[in-house]
Amino acid sequence: MILPEVRDPRFVTIRRGGTLTDSDHHLLALWAASCAEHVLDFFESAQPDDLRPRQAIEKVRAWVRGEVKMTQARAAGGHSMGAARDLRGAARHAAYAAGQAGAVAHVAAHELGAAAYAIKAARAAVPESEGDVAARLECQWQRDQLPESIRELVLDDQRLRNDICWSVFDC
């Protein structure tokens, strides 16, 4: 579970009664796509012929550019989640990260799911003794990618939802 029980109005677009602008929604989607893409090789190394996670990342970026509808990006995210089902470890988490990134077009709060799964992928890709360091490095890399206009929003979201996101944002 990566979504809170009560939706944070900061992650609901203005036209739906929240406070999130379309431009910030787009920035959240692009950041989520970057987080997922950063660990995508873990999936592609294990499943080189399965394009679903890469397509989810591409679709959400296309949604930001206005080239596809939200439903197409969301569907691609769902297909990426399907690619994860039979896998374990880093490959599975990387596919889930891409799926969560695709879902940001539909629900902006999925941005944290993409980031959290990417951190889980980085942790799972190394020996257990190196997992904490790998997770911290991935978390810091993600934070370095945050656009200034959404930085505080995402950092606050990480603080508020860290417990339901496997405490991966302690970095």
Side-chain angles (χ1 to χ4, degrees):
M1 165 86 160
I2 54 110
L3 294 176
E5 290 182 24
V6 177
R7 290 187 70 187
D8 184 335
R10 297 174 304 165
F11 290 91
V12 177
T13 57
I14 292 169
R15 69 183 164 284
R16 297 201 181 270
T19 60
L20 185 66
T21 64
D22 286 344
S23 61
D24 283 349
H25 190 177
H26 291 162
L27 288 174
L28 289 168
L30 291 172
W31 178 71
S34 293
C35 291
E37 187 172 52
H38 195 240
V39 298
L40 186 59
D41 188 56
F42 299 135
F43 176 83
E44 291 180 334
S45 294
Q47 298 292 115
D49 297 328
D50 191 340
L51 302 177
R52 292 176 289 178
R54 180 164 297 281
Q55 289 169 341
I57 293 167
E58 291 171 359
K59 286 286 187 197
V60 78
R61 287 182 172 145
W63 170 77
V64 168
R65 294 189 303 266
E67 297 169 2
V68 301
K69 295 184 181 287
M70 173 278 293
T71 55
Q72 293 170 285
R74 181 184 64 194
H79 294 310
S80 183
M81 304 264 193
R85 284 192 191 105
D86 294 332
L87 300 174
R88 297 288 173 261
R92 179 184 181 117
H93 298 313
Y96 277 137
Q100 291 288 314
V104 173
H106 181 243
V107 174
H110 280 288
E111 106 290 356
L112 222 53
Y117 275 112
I119 292 169
K120 286 177 65 102
R123 178 187 299 273
V126 298
E128 190 174 337
S129 63
E130 299 170 25
D132 288 344
V133 171
R136 224 176 1 267
L137 289 172
E138 184 64 25
C139 183
Q140 285 299 315
W141 179 88
Q142 292 175 359
R143 288 180 178 178
D144 290 345
Q145 309 314 303
L146 279 167
E148 195 58 39
S149 64
I150 61 167
R151 183 175 184 73
E152 288 307 314
L153 174 64
V154 171
L155 293 178
D156 190 49
D157 195 28
Q158 288 180 346
R159 182 184 61 76
L160 292 172
R161 290 199 282 157
N162 193 38
D163 287 348
I164 63 173
C165 290
W166 313 286
S167 299
V168 298
F169 299 115
D170 294 331
C171 57

